[in-house]
Amino acid sequence: MPGPRSRSYVVELVCSRCGTRYRPEEGPVMCGRMDLGRLDVIYDYDAIREVLSRRVIESRPREMGVWRYHELMPAPMEFASPIREGGTPMLRSSRLNEFLGTEAVYLKDETRNPTGSFKDRAMAVGVAKAAELGKKVAVTASSGNAASSLAAYCASLGISCYAFVPEDVSMGKAAQLVTFGAKLFRVRSVEEGRDPTVDLMVKAVRAFGWYPCPSFGPFNPYQVEGPKTVSYEVLEQLGWESPDAILVPTGSGCFITGIWKGLRDLTELGLLREEDLPMLIPVQPEGNQQLVRAINSGTPFEEIEPERNPRSVASGLLDPFPWDGDAAIEGVKRTGGRGVAVPDEEIMESVRVLASKAGVFAEPSGAVGLAALRRLLDEGFIDRSDRVVVLVTGSGLKEVEKLLGSVGEIPLIKPEVEELKRYLS
Ligand SMILES: *Cc1c(COP(=O)(O)O)cnc(C)c1O
Ligand SMILES: [Zn+2]
């Protein structure tokens, strides 16, 4: 995006594991101790408070994407891709609220991002950072959405992209990847509880010096910074009044870590009061719920074991290990939230409800928030009058095989009313 060179308000980066501090000029991506800590980006909030107010934010066009908040970004705006993510709508569907018996359930429709998932927010920042650092090749490990998004952003800036995905990657995601020009590899699973795509990515980074850009923090700290803009948008779209709860589809825990970071940015800037923080509710599928289980049982992050056999229709939520679980746990605790795990039948039912009541076409991973909300309403944990934001994270076009697989055969008929009548009766 053209314009004057934006000033950086990043003070330092601090490893979440060992506390080692890095200067932003060093352009760090992983902790030098290789301890799988995430390099948390620390901003000069006092200086940002001087220049960023509600009024300034509201005056900027939505088309700026994550760069609408460039003071809170770790890369200069002039390296940004022109693709333009974010600025997604908050839908208050009366038919959906009627169906749920609720008053103020909002859908934050992240399916409308350029490649069809919220991962575009993360990659907008991760790839701008790669461009700033002069990187020519980026690599990712992903179930598909993060890789598709990385491929698009790399294409737009002329950076080569290597993507390692699971054997059974969905067709929608694979089609995007190859069309954007990524060099795509499906990677065989060899050991239970280990993500083979992450293993290969780490090896390739060591062997070739490529820029690691998967959508989790320990391998790329800038991933948290794009998704945090969802929190800013939600607050503004609700007239700067915090909702009671935000439901977050969760795999690696990077997205909810971003939501939490965004909320803290807002409190630091005086745009949200500590006592108004919304409850953060991570939602995982029953077949891969290590983070939710840890949160609800009080197990510390260090004791979380990877899931040995992750399985669910929600293919975007199958990270065996919650890489950003430390910050996710903190965010849930500090906001009085809890975790929810949902079974596949309820996930598929939620895909249908979102589409048929609200007109929103989500992939299974994108619909788990609604499934969790229905459980929490039944349990009384969330009140039917509460203001609730359900994040719908990915488009149904990503997983057409699964959605068609659940509808049965589609009639094939001659163009004659008589034949149509036979089906209508
Ligand atoms: C990646 C993804 C998630 C989960 O995000 P994490 O950062 O891995 O927790 C949720 N929904 C969709 C559609 C995704 O692609
Ligand atoms: Zn460290």
Side-chain angles (χ1 to χ4, degrees):
M1 196 174 291
R5 195 179 163 84
S6 46
R7 173 183 163 192
S8 173
Y9 291 90
V10 177
V11 181
E12 61 182 357
L13 292 90
V14 180
C15 177
S16 61
R17 283 268 168 113
C18 69
T20 302
R21 298 155 73 151
Y22 296 85
R23 283 178 299 113
E25 310 83 76
E26 297 172 58
V29 180
M30 287 190 249
C31 180
R33 297 199 182 168
M34 301 307 272
D35 56 5
L36 293 178
R38 177 187 52 257
L39 303 183
D40 288 321
V41 185
I42 313 294
Y43 293 87
D44 181 352
Y45 291 112
D46 289 334
I48 297 175
R49 216 177 291 126
E50 298 285 312
V51 293
L52 201 61
S53 62
R54 284 181 196 181
R55 188 138 351 115
V56 170
I57 292 173
E58 285 167 355
S59 73
R60 294 179 180 166
R62 296 224 172 276
E63 294 71 41
M64 289 177 77
V66 300
W67 308 98
R68 195 160 176 254
Y69 318 92
H70 57 81
E71 292 86 352
L72 292 154
M73 287 296 135
M77 192 163 38
E78 54 269 30
F79 291 101
S81 157
I83 299 182
R84 290 163 200 247
E85 59 298 316
T88 56
M90 282 264 272
L91 310 172
R92 186 176 183 174
S93 158
S94 43
R95 287 198 73 223
L96 180 65
N97 276 289
E98 211 169 283
F99 176 79
L100 297 171
T102 50
E103 286 165 29
V105 167
Y106 294 81
L107 305 175
K108 178 74 169 156
D109 187 4
E110 290 294 301
T111 71
R112 304 213 201 177
N113 278 293
T115 74
S117 83
F118 84 92
K119 295 287 195 318
D120 290 334
R121 295 181 189 259
M123 294 307 157
V125 179
V127 176
K129 196 69 196 179
E132 184 195 4
L133 297 172
K135 304 288 182 185
K136 300 281 180 264
V137 184
V139 60
T140 188
S142 156
S143 68
N145 279 340
S148 306
S149 181
L150 176 66
Y153 280 82
C154 281
S156 77
L157 295 181
I159 294 172
S160 299
C161 174
Y162 286 81
F164 302 137
V165 298
E167 273 185 80
D168 57 352
V169 61
S170 83
M171 301 294 275
K173 298 173 189 181
Q176 282 184 302
L177 274 158
V178 294
T179 310
F180 286 131
K183 289 152 198 97
L184 181 61
F185 296 88
R186 295 188 303 145
V187 188
R188 276 208 183 93
S189 196
V190 287
E191 194 185 326
E192 279 193 345
R194 288 186 74 91
D195 185 333
T197 64
V198 174
D199 282 352
L200 183 56
M201 176 191 71
V202 171
K203 288 174 187 163
V205 167
R206 292 216 180 101
F208 308 117
W210 294 342
Y211 175 74
C213 203
S215 64
F216 18 86
F219 304 99
N220 188 301
Y222 308 108
Q223 296 301 310
V224 175
E225 304 298 307
K228 74 182 183 181
T229 56
V230 168
S231 292
Y232 312 159
E233 290 179 18
V234 162
L235 208 69
E236 183 184 348
Q237 287 169 311
L238 292 177
W240 302 99
E241 271 192 41
S242 185
D244 296 300
I246 304 180
L247 291 104
V248 193
T250 298
S252 70
C254 188
F255 190 22
I256 195 165
T257 293
I259 300 289
W260 173 229
K261 176 97 178 256
L263 293 174
R264 273 176 306 150
D265 285 351
L266 291 166
T267 52
E268 290 286 351
L269 296 176
L271 299 175
L272 170 66
R273 289 183 318 183
E274 195 78 39
E275 58 268 33
D276 291 338
L277 283 169
M279 287 192 292
L280 291 185
I281 312 234
V283 185
Q284 295 197 290
E286 277 187 349
N288 188 43
Q289 53 160 316
Q290 297 304 72
L291 182 61
V292 161
R293 201 176 276 137
I295 288 170
N296 293 349
S297 66
T299 307
F301 176 65
E302 298 70 37
E303 289 171 25
I304 298 180
E305 298 278 340
E307 168 61 52
R308 299 180 68 81
N309 181 22
R311 69 210 118 73
S312 168
V313 281
S315 65
L317 309 180
L318 290 182
D319 311 79
F321 186 70
W323 295 106
D324 291 297
D326 54 338
I329 291 171
E330 181 195 280
V332 176
K333 271 201 187 146
R334 292 270 302 276
T335 59
R338 54 168 275 202
V340 180
V342 287
D344 280 1
E345 311 83 72
E346 289 174 31
I347 296 173
M348 291 310 289
E349 168 66 7
S350 296
V351 169
R352 288 187 286 271
V353 170
L354 282 173
S356 62
K357 302 292 178 196
V360 172
F361 191 44
E363 67 176 299
S365 306
V368 300
L370 181 66
L373 174 61
R374 294 176 74 179
R375 289 200 158 204
L376 295 177
L377 288 169
D378 288 345
E379 287 174 26
F381 186 80
I382 287 182
D383 200 85
R384 291 187 194 270
S385 62
D386 283 350
R387 292 214 304 177
V388 179
V389 176
V390 176
L391 303 181
V392 183
T393 47
S395 164
L397 291 174
K398 302 275 193 167
E399 299 260 19
V400 286
E401 328 68 316
K402 275 186 198 130
L403 303 183
L404 276 174
S406 68
V407 296
E409 185 147 15
I410 300 164
L412 176 66
I413 59 174
K414 290 201 203 95
E416 281 166 19
V417 171
E418 283 312 309
E419 199 154 344
L420 181 58
K421 274 188 184 158
R422 217 176 308 140
Y423 279 95
L424 295 180
S425 61

